[in-house]
Amino acid sequence: MNERGFGYIADMLVFALLLSTATLLLARVSPVDPRADSTRHAVIFAQSTLLSLQNTTADQFGGFEYEFRVSELGLSMTGGSARRELRHKTITQLLAEDALLNLRVEAGGTDLTLPQPNRDMNEEFKGFLKSALDRMIGGRFGYRLRARTEPIDLEFVRVHFETGIEDLAQARTQLCSETVMLSLPTSQEELTRRIEEMLGIDLFGQDLEVDPIIEMTLELWSR
Amino acid sequence: MEFSVGEDLFSVLVVTGLVIVFVAALTHSYHVYAERRNASEDFDLALDIAKRLRDQILVGQNDQIGLLELSHERLEDYSRILALQGINLRVEVRTLEGESLFVRGPDLNPFEHYFSPPVGVGLPAAVQNQGLAVLCELSVQVWRG
């Protein structure tokens, strides 16, 4: 091969090197950020899930019922009439009712044991809500759902409600967190009266800010 | 210009071959790049459409967001607007048990859309059906044509 032949090959090899670089750059540079797409999908999915929880009755998930503990009130009942059956209520209505009936009272960071005839509702509702969310989210995302009321701080105790369920198995990063505010099925006066009954004290004259609202937050995580 | 057969011709064949291979690789890379970009844009579009269906097009008569009322007429009007922009839409509502409650749009043949496959989004949705709010999956598929 003469000198000119080597020249051609050298030129073309340089040309090929430039093309390879361009090809590699194109292959590596992604035109989209996959995380942005996932985040947007997660936000819309979480909003839809929260809306569905507000509109779907417990009936859709086989119904919800629990045993009302009459004995906690020092009463006795014959037969099985203490079972409450709530299949007609929406899931968020059940959550609000759970919050109202199972307010926690804390003193010095410790839960006080007060008569709670609806205690079973709290435990059973957690399981019910988990199975409902498992079906709605269907393994697409990891999730954490939290519901809480604004704590009411009195001089010696703190009254609040907080519950949460999650399935973060194989979850990697948090994609979004969406919150809705729900009204408790009670007025401010009724809620104050209920706290007075629970604690056996008179709150008249105390500057008490009681907000009958529950905050529900759903986080979705990538898998 | 003179060619000496067996030397210069060989080098010309080699470099021509190299050029063809690398141009093909460059074209392929660009094709992959453009496909990814289009898929992302179509996914964004499918999300927008699903959100609009949930919040505006299929919202019930009492304007309760999140409770869908299935209406062929409203969906038909919306599909016509999208079709003017070259966007095709298929909407399906299925119960969580997999029963189809509502379908609008052509059946999708995977081979027909081999080069521009449809992009789909599925969202949970409560749907008004025979006086009950039934939990379903709203499935939206979008493709350009």
Side-chain angles (χ1 to χ4, degrees), chain A residues 75-207:
Chain A
L75 303 169
S76 63
M77 184 170 275
T78 52
S81 57
R83 196 142 191 91
R84 287 191 77 205
E85 206 268 323
L86 300 167
R87 61 191 312 127
H88 59 286
K89 295 205 173 193
T90 67
I91 296 169
T92 48
Q93 279 172 342
L94 287 174
L95 178 68
E97 192 165 322
D98 184 23
L100 192 63
L101 296 175
N102 289 298
L103 284 170
R104 282 164 55 188
V105 182
E106 259 179 39
T110 316
D111 273 350
L112 295 184
T113 314
L114 297 172
Q116 279 190 315
N118 296 285
R119 196 192 315 154
D120 287 353
M121 180 182 193
N122 190 253
E123 287 308 313
E124 290 191 26
F125 183 62
K126 270 189 186 177
F128 175 78
L129 192 55
K130 175 140 186 9
S131 73
L133 282 173
D134 283 346
R135 286 186 70 190
M136 288 167 94
I137 296 173
R140 292 180 182 96
F141 300 98
Y143 66 84
R144 178 187 286 147
L145 186 121
R146 283 192 189 133
R148 58 184 282 275
T149 58
E150 196 65 39
I152 302 159
D153 285 309
L154 302 168
E155 279 174 26
F156 49 97
V157 290
R158 188 170 200 243
V159 182
H160 69 113
F161 172 81
E162 192 161 355
T163 190
I165 51 161
E166 62 183 40
D167 177 5
L168 295 178
Q170 297 169 333
R172 287 183 303 186
T173 49
Q174 187 184 331
L175 295 171
C176 71
S177 173
E178 292 291 309
T179 300
V180 287
M181 308 298 260
L182 307 164
S183 294
L184 289 176
T186 185
S187 66
Q188 194 168 354
E189 292 74 30
E190 279 173 348
L191 185 57
T192 310
R193 211 174 308 131
R194 184 169 165 72
I195 294 168
E196 284 179 340
E197 281 171 14
M198 277 173 69
L199 302 175
I201 55 167
D202 187 2
L203 297 173
F204 181 77
Q206 290 216 27
D207 188 18

Side-chain angles (χ1 to χ4, degrees), chain B residues 1-2 6 18 28 34 51 61 76 83 88 103 109 117 124 126 131 136:
Chain B
M1 190 175 184
E2 70 180 70
L18 275 175
H28 177 73
K51 192 168 183 288
Q61 283 177 345
E76 199 64 50
N88 298 299
V103 182
N109 178 353
C136 293

Side-chain angles (χ1 to χ4, degrees), chain B residues 59-131:
Chain B
V59 76
Q61 283 177 345
N62 55 358
D63 287 343
Q64 190 178 347
I65 290 180
L67 184 59
L68 306 191
E69 190 181 88
L70 303 176
S71 157
H72 277 285
E73 293 79 33
R74 277 185 268 165
L75 204 51
E76 199 64 50
D77 291 345
Y78 185 53
S79 298
R80 224 170 279 141
I81 294 168
L82 290 175
L84 289 175
Q85 299 164 42
I87 299 163
N88 298 299
L89 175 67
R90 178 184 159 88
V91 176
E92 186 169 4
V93 175
R94 282 188 300 268
T95 63
L96 292 189
E97 287 73 37
E99 183 198 347
S100 182
L101 285 186
F102 178 92
V103 182
R104 198 264 156 218
D107 280 335
L108 293 170
N109 178 353
F111 298 108
E112 201 178 317
H113 302 282
Y114 185 75
F115 291 105
S116 71
V119 176
V121 171
L123 297 178
V127 172
Q128 192 78 42
N129 185 39
Q130 296 172 347

